[in-house]
Amino acid sequence: MKSWLQRCTVIVASVAILFGGISQAGAEPVLNWVEGTGQSIDMGEGLASFTLQENMIFLNGKDAQTFQTESGGKPSGEEIGAVFPAAEDATWGVFIEYTNSGHIKDDEKDKIDADELLQSYKNGTEAANEELDPSRHLFVDSWDIEPSYNATTKRLTWSLLAHNSSNEKIVNYNERILTREGYISIVLVSDPDHLAADRVEMEKTVLSSFKVKEGKRYEDFDKSTDKVAEYGLTGLVLGGAGLAVAKKVGFLALILGLFKKFWIVVVAAIAGLWRLITGKKKKEETTVPPSNDDTPQSLT
């Protein structure tokens, strides 16, 4: 396991160099990878927890931000963790964030208009493209999974299909878990060909044990003291704004924020990171002395 983590850290630095994130040799980021042993992982200062299974690795919020930055992307600043399979042939990762938006009422659960939302996304990407270099243009195609809300688990899910200027297919899977004072974002980053299988794997290895802690749960809302968000479920699909607001601003700022992880992971990590890891394996093994130390540790 240690050698895999060493390679992963090296690859993060390599990707950063490709994107101009590191200019000096040896300036590799310090990422504190936590190896799964079946231990409980707390996130968000008492907000939630899950069981980190064997063959899984975890980055805390700060390190998840570093990982994204060094991969050429821009973290939101709301990251509370990231989870990856330790297998070299893995094709997915999960970024977990928390937004203190105020309590989101779910009275729109039967009124989500998927067609109108999709058109807003399409219009938004067209507006966003006008502000971007053509090489970074993004085009929304259709829903992979239409927005749906589970009133029992308080989870809102959706998945969009898109493509970039090179006609490469792009897909993301989003899940929002409503809490007392905001929501937790679960963003599954995957390859379009593997999304269905990766989603099942994520549900089994991460979300099956994921729990919002008592006092932070949706049902713990206290209307006498807790603030209420200015938007509902529709606004949540739009990244934290009502549909009228999204239309008014042309959706530009929202769409750039929502799709930043496409560029971070599809370009840098999923489409390149895992292939770079396996591609450099032989070279790493010839230059890095073998080690029998399997003790988890921070890597530099």
Side-chain angles (χ1 to χ4, degrees):
M1 177 64 69
K2 180 181 175 182
S3 62
W4 187 94
L5 296 178
Q6 286 175 326
R7 290 198 298 275
C8 194
T9 302
V10 170
I11 299 309
V12 171
S14 299
V15 172
I17 292 172
L18 291 175
F19 282 85
I22 295 177
S23 58
Q24 296 181 353
E28 298 172 2
V30 176
L31 297 177
N32 300 291
W33 298 96
V34 178
E35 300 179 40
T37 61
Q39 73 272 44
S40 179
I41 297 291
D42 288 339
M43 291 181 295
E45 298 181 355
L47 175 68
S49 66
F50 78 103
T51 298
L52 186 62
Q53 299 183 15
E54 292 185 7
N55 299 319
M56 301 296 293
I57 53 178
F58 172 79
L59 291 175
N60 63 27
K62 180 179 179 181
D63 285 337
Q65 292 178 29
T66 299
F67 180 88
Q68 293 178 73
T69 299
E70 299 301 334
S71 298
K74 294 182 179 180
S76 67
E78 296 183 333
E79 289 80 5
I80 58 175
V83 188
F84 303 89
E88 293 181 354
D89 60 351
T91 58
W92 63 276
V94 177
F95 289 89
I96 305 171
E97 303 179 2
Y98 174 67
T99 301
N100 186 10
S101 61
H103 186 77
I104 297 177
K105 294 184 177 180
D106 61 358
D107 50 5
E108 294 178 343
K109 55 182 175 290
D110 299 319
K111 303 176 184 178
I112 299 175
D113 190 330
D115 292 337
E116 188 171 15
L117 285 169
L118 180 63
Q119 190 59 51
S120 293
Y121 269 108
K122 289 183 176 181
N123 294 343
T125 53
E126 290 178 6
N129 286 341
E130 295 178 1
E131 305 294 327
L132 298 172
D133 182 273
S135 65
R136 298 187 62 205
H137 282 184
L138 182 71
F139 307 91
V140 171
D141 299 317
S142 64
W143 291 115
D144 173 47
I145 299 173
E146 289 190 359
S148 64
Y149 178 72
N150 186 316
T152 301
T153 62
K154 307 301 180 185
R155 295 187 178 188
L156 175 67
T157 61
W158 73 90
S159 179
L160 271 173
L161 292 173
H163 67 277
N164 61 19
S165 58
S166 300
N167 205 34
E168 295 171 326
K169 293 181 180 180
I170 297 172
V171 63
N172 75 338
Y173 173 80
N174 288 275
E175 185 157 337
R176 302 291 184 265
I177 303 174
L178 303 189
T179 68
R180 175 178 177 174
E181 298 177 290
Y183 61 91
I184 298 170
S185 298
I186 306 291
V187 182
L188 170 64
V189 188
S190 178
D191 174 298
D193 294 334
H194 297 92
L195 179 65
D198 290 343
R199 181 186 174 190
V200 171
E201 190 67 17
M202 176 195 69
E203 292 281 352
K204 181 176 68 175
T205 59
V206 180
L207 294 187
S208 63
S209 62
F210 195 94
K211 295 180 180 179
V212 179
K213 294 191 174 183
E214 186 174 355
K216 303 291 187 179
R217 301 170 302 179
Y218 190 78
E219 55 267 32
D220 295 324
F221 172 69
D222 185 342
K223 64 180 180 180
S224 67
T225 59
D226 299 336
K227 71 174 183 178
V228 177
E230 297 179 354
Y231 53 88
L233 298 178
T234 295
L236 194 51
V237 177
L238 292 176
L243 190 58
V245 174
K247 289 179 177 178
K248 184 177 180 180
V249 301
F251 212 62
L252 176 59
L254 297 177
I255 205 71
L256 290 175
L258 285 169
F259 282 104
K260 65 182 182 299
K261 286 190 175 62
F262 278 137
W263 305 110
I264 294 168
V265 184
V266 172
V267 174
I270 296 302
L273 181 59
W274 305 117
R275 287 201 294 269
L276 284 170
I277 289 172
T278 55
K280 289 198 173 189
K281 183 177 179 181
K282 289 185 178 180
K283 182 178 179 180
E284 294 277 337
E285 289 176 345
T286 60
T287 58
V288 178
S291 172
N292 295 321
D293 181 9
D294 291 326
T295 303
Q297 57 180 286
S298 299
L299 302 175
T300 58

